[in-house]
Structures are given as structure tokens and as C-alpha cells.
Amino acid sequence: MKEIDAIKGLLKRIYGEGHENIAFQKILKLIERFPFKQKTEGKNYFSQNDVVLITYGDSLNKEGEVPLSTLCNFADNYLKGIFSTIHILPFFPFSSDDGFSVIDFYSVNPELGFWKDIKKLSISFKLMFDLVLNHISSKSSWFNKYLDDEKGYEGFCIEVDPSTDLSDVVRPRSLPLLTKFKKSSGKTIHVWTTFSSDQIDLNYKSPDVLEKMIEVLLFYVKNGAKVIRLDAIAYLWKETGTNCIHLSQAHDVVKLFRMVLDLIAPEVVLITETNVPHEENISYFGDGKDEAQMVYNFTLPPLLFYSFAIGDSKILSDWAKGLKLKSSNNTFFNFTASHDGIGVRPLEGILPNKEIDRLVEIVRKNGGYVSFKKNSDGTESPYEMNITYVDALIANEKKMGANRFLASQAIQLALPGVPAVYIHSILGSRNWREGVRHTNRNRTINREKLQIEEVLSQLKNPESFRSGIFSSYINLIKVRKRQRSFHPNASFEVLDIKPEIFAIVRYCNDQTIYSFTNISSKHVFLSLSDKGVPSEMKDLLTGKMFNTDSFLLNPYQYVWLGNED
């Protein structure tokens, strides 16, 4: 079977001639547990109906009820038909990093709920799971077995002599790269810990590690995952003397996962999480068919924030013109906020350092924090701006703040790709500085644990800030989902009209939509008389008719002009 031969060939590339058979036999036993499915050629993975909600399992809480049940009830009552997919951030037992230091990949954290709650959510929504595959918790049984030199676990982690020169390694944190532990034998070791001393990097040079993680991948598919997020995939493979990011073997592991899924679950989508500059990020599309179907569009959040900060769309427009893809098998995962902060590295090569420093200062003035990374020369530089996207956009524009934030979201929804919305964005949540004081972690600022009764009370009050954001956001999504021109892979053109206006045209068959967003605090007059568009067009969001020969956009006003699909 050619697919099986392709897997063996890829393993030969990863492990070398003569060393691939052990890994191949392990993987073959795993995939033979599942019936092979015929992959449909030309299958389109996405549609305009795809909108993803990002949430922790306990973002919403109710006394006497497990949080996953509370989430399910809220989603069924308020979000069904709006969001197609729910990304439940790691819901497994963990020891740190709000779930990303996994103790047990096969269990649901009992503080959140049970597998039956996950299954109930899957009735109305597709589900996205995290495969936290770069590292494990230092409290996990796998790591304890490694420390005990138990058979099958001897090579699970990466031991390094602390005198080794690791200065070329790209660091996403300012914490030490190596952490000291003592094995049961009494031997002192230093193991690779990219993200924290509690997050032990796995050694994929061991076929036993690869086998374990493919087994986890298939377990998630069996339990309803339709989208698999490959967390921190860029750092997966380590070679001393290199920068240990985006190494060819990391790409090959993504290819391997794709091959396995194409055999037994071709409907499941892989998405890579790589908080890096744009060209590095999109390298995980591979040739368009052999790696991830989606990548996080990491440049969008900070660049959109910057454009509103200066009231000028030119750099954003120039960047957005390059969002065209070679394959309809791929698309972008467009987000502005997530459980993490607003990444800075994706701005490398786009903004000079003084403009990045400008954003950092705005974040601090707006009540946020800044996290740093360690550079190879020993210096530190901003890695992430920690603030809710709501506060990033509204704090300096109190009167027009809600419109300013919603205008940024209208741009996100108009871009090519699948939109993903963090629960605290659609609920209009503000900075949770109290949480930061409690945890002493900057990222806590946009991870507030909300009480559902209080949220529902505010949503029922049309005068509340939360209600205004929620109802307007829901309307944006509803209108978007009805338009074929907002298909993730529909054609588009970014127009250069005025610096204050971000303009993008989306078109599919006989429908064309002109999206115009005023990203400034000024009133801006527009004329489309030389653009070959009808003189009368309707705003799909409000139903209002516009004379396109001359019309006015108020500060932070956004319109989608076109014919209803």
C-alpha cells in the first residue's frame, strides 16, 4: 500500500537508514487498530460556516456544577448556529501553565468535568483539542518512569551537559534552558526544558516517544476531536549546535501525523501553533497537501493593534495582500486574542523596534504587562504583550472604545481564513489584574474565571458593556456566515484608498463584498466612482443603502457593502 510505504520512507528520513524499522513497526500496530478510510480527492476542509470559539474548560463557572457542563449549557443556549467549532484549551490533569504542563493525556481534569461532558459538547459543535507534544509535566508518570530508568522510557527526555554551548538556541522564555533533576539511581542530570522547569521536553529521537504521542493523537480522534492543535511544534526537535527551531525533523513529524490521519481520519484537520514571523509560520503548510491544513495567523493580532494605534492601515494592507495561498487545502486561522498574549516576534521584519516599543508603552498605559525572552547575546527583548484585546483597543478611546474594538474584529472576520474568537473577546472582558496579583503570571490577565450568573445578568442588560459587545459580535458572525464571498478560500483584493481605511474585496461566483473599516478617530469621506462598483450598495450589517459615489465613514465605522447571498 503506497500510503504505508510513504510512512516508512518518512521515518527513514527522520531516523536514518536502517533505524526506521523499529518506529515503523510501532506506528503500524497503532494505525491498524482503525479502519482505513478512502481520502476524497479535492476535498474542501473549510466553508464560510466555520467559526471557532476559543475557551478554557473553566472560563465559565456555576456553583454546584462542573465547568464543562456550564460551558456546554451556555454554548447550547447562546452559541449554537453561531460557532461551528469549540476549541477547549487543555482540559487534562496538569501541574502548571494553566493546562499546558500535562500530567495525563488520557484523562479529563476532574475539576473541569468528565469525558461525558466533552462528548455532550460534540453533539452540537465540532471540537478542537490540544496535542501538547513538545513536553510533559515533571509530575507525570512518564517522567517518573524516565527517572526510574524504566524499560521503554530510558530515552524519553533530553539530557545535556550543562557546560554545552547552547547560545544559538532560540528561546521563547527568559528562564533557564536546562533543569537539574536526580534519577532514582542517584545520578544528577540536566534535562532540556524549553518553557519552564516543570515542562520537560520530550526526546523525539526515541521511537518510544513518537509511538506514545501518535497513540495520544489517535485517542483524541477516537474521542471526537475534529481539529488537532499541535502546540509549540516548532521546538519539537533538538540538535546541539543549531537554533533548535523549525528543524526539518519537526516538519517531518507534522507530515507523519498528516499521513496517519489521511489514512484513518482524513476529515480531521491539523493546525500548527508557531508564534514566529510570518514566513516561518506559513512554512508549516508544506507543499499545500502534506503538512498542516491551517496555521495560526500570528502576525494579525499585533499588526492590527498597531494599525489602530497609529490610525493608518498602510502596513496592514501591504501585509494582507500576501495572504494568498497556493492550495485550497490550506487556510489561515485568524485570531486577534487567545489564552496567550499578543505576540511580538511576528512583527519582526515588519515594524522597526521603536514602533514595537511604542506598542509596549501603550499596553502598559492600558493596564497590561509585557513578557520577555532571552536572546542569544544574553539580552532580553519583548516576546509577548499581556492584555485583553478589548483593553488594548479601547482604553485610550473611552467614548468610542467599543466601536474601536468591534471595528478590529470586523477586519478579522473579513480576511481570508477561518475566524477564531476568544471567549473573553466576545464577552467584552477587561483586564484581570487581580488574577495576575494572585498567580504572579502576566498571562493570567486575560484568563479570568467568570461566574455564569453574573455574565448572563449582564448579557440581559442592553445597557451593559458586555451585552453591547456580545450582541454586536454575534450579528457580525451571523452575517458573515451567510455570505459565500467570506468562504475562507474565496478570492480577495486589498484596496489602497486612504490611510485611515482598511479596504478588502471578497468575491465568489456572482457575489462581491466590499469591506471598509475606518481605523481612525477621524470622519473620512470615500468615493468609489472610479472603482467600477454599483452606485448604490447595501451594507449587509445594517441594511442601510450607500451611494458609493460619495459617502462618509464615522470614526471606527465598518461596513460590508454588497448583495446578500
Side-chain angles (χ1 to χ4, degrees), residues 129-370:
F129 290 7
D130 287 277
L131 182 59
V132 185
L133 72 169
N134 178 73
H135 48 262
I136 53 175
S137 166
S138 65
K139 311 298 189 296
S140 68
S141 64
W142 290 2
F143 186 58
N144 286 327
K145 289 176 180 179
Y146 163 77
L147 293 177
D148 291 340
D149 289 316
E150 191 169 316
K151 186 176 180 181
Y153 293 86
E154 305 95 329
F156 247 57
C157 305
I158 305 166
E159 295 182 22
V160 182
D161 185 327
S163 65
T164 304
D165 181 7
L166 300 173
S167 60
D168 288 337
V169 176
V170 172
R171 300 304 321 284
R173 299 286 187 274
S174 292
L175 299 169
L177 181 59
L178 302 179
T179 301
K180 183 168 69 173
F181 288 91
K182 183 172 285 189
K183 285 193 165 185
S184 300
S185 63
K187 178 184 177 183
T188 297
I189 58 169
H190 293 80
V191 297
W192 202 293
T193 52
T194 297
F195 292 96
S196 79
S197 59
D198 183 47
Q199 293 166 293
I200 315 298
D201 286 48
L202 289 167
N203 177 22
Y204 280 83
K205 293 180 180 178
S206 165
D208 293 316
V209 168
L210 186 65
E211 176 192 23
K212 286 285 190 186
M213 295 315 297
I214 290 180
E215 189 170 21
V216 173
L217 171 73
L218 299 183
F219 175 77
Y220 291 170
V221 171
K222 184 179 178 180
N223 280 274
K226 296 302 180 187
V227 184
I228 302 287
R229 176 184 182 270
L230 301 180
D231 179 66
I233 186 68
Y235 303 97
L236 191 76
W237 196 275
K238 284 82 175 178
E239 292 286 351
T240 54
T242 74
N243 61 8
C244 296
I245 187 171
H246 311 310
L247 298 188
S248 62
Q249 293 92 338
H251 283 279
D252 284 342
V253 169
V254 180
K255 289 181 170 73
L256 179 64
F257 287 173
R258 178 71 179 269
M259 286 181 180
V260 169
L261 290 176
D262 280 350
L263 265 180
I264 63 175
E267 73 283 359
V268 173
V269 169
L270 288 177
I271 176 171
T272 49
E273 185 266 333
T274 51
N275 191 355
V276 293
H278 189 72
E279 291 304 316
E280 297 175 36
N281 190 24
I282 62 175
S283 69
Y284 289 87
F285 282 137
D287 67 7
K289 294 183 179 181
D290 65 343
E291 288 195 52
Q293 290 97 330
M294 285 197 291
V295 302
Y296 274 74
N297 202 348
F298 271 109
T299 304
L300 178 60
L303 187 54
L304 190 60
F305 172 32
Y306 174 76
S307 301
F308 276 87
I310 66 171
D312 190 315
S313 69
K314 179 170 176 20
I315 298 176
L316 175 66
S317 296
D318 289 345
W319 169 79
K321 291 172 184 176
L323 293 178
K324 291 182 170 64
L325 298 174
K326 297 177 181 178
S327 171
S328 61
N329 293 295
N330 304 131
T331 201
F332 291 102
F333 189 78
N334 291 329
F335 72 107
T336 54
S338 72
H339 60 293
D340 290 339
I342 304 170
V344 174
R345 280 212 67 204
L347 293 176
E348 292 176 12
I350 298 177
L351 295 184
N353 287 338
K354 66 177 183 178
E355 293 302 291
I356 293 175
D357 291 340
R358 180 177 180 175
L359 286 183
V360 166
E361 186 60 28
I362 291 172
V363 164
R364 286 176 169 151
K365 284 182 178 179
N366 291 5
Y369 304 94
V370 180

Side-chain angles (χ1 to χ4, degrees), residues 20-36:
E20 77 278 8
N21 281 326
I22 294 175
F24 177 70
Q25 293 302 322
K26 290 177 179 290
I27 293 170
L28 188 60
K29 288 179 181 178
L30 292 175
I31 62 179
E32 284 180 340
R33 299 177 188 174
F34 294 79
F36 290 179

Side-chain angles (χ1 to χ4, degrees), residues 476-491:
L476 273 167
I477 295 173
K478 282 182 176 178
V479 174
R480 184 192 186 278
K481 287 165 68 81
R482 293 198 297 264
Q483 319 307 324
R484 280 175 296 161
S485 290
F486 282 136
H487 186 287
N489 299 110
S491 300

Side-chain angles (χ1 to χ4, degrees), residues 416-447:
V418 170
V421 184
Y422 189 38
I423 193 167
H424 285 300
S425 287
I426 201 166
L427 292 176
S429 296
R430 310 301 297 273
N431 290 335
W432 193 33
R433 292 173 62 87
E434 181 184 346
V436 176
R437 287 191 290 270
H438 178 70
T439 66
N440 202 32
R441 296 194 303 270
N442 290 349
R443 284 180 167 179
T444 304
I445 198 167
N446 69 337
R447 298 178 179 181

Side-chain angles (χ1 to χ4, degrees), residues 78-79 82-83 426 469-478:
Y78 290 88
L79 306 178
I82 307 299
F83 290 95
I426 201 166
I469 295 293
F470 185 78
S471 58
S472 298
Y473 215 135
I474 291 293
N475 183 60
L476 273 167
I477 295 173
K478 282 182 176 178

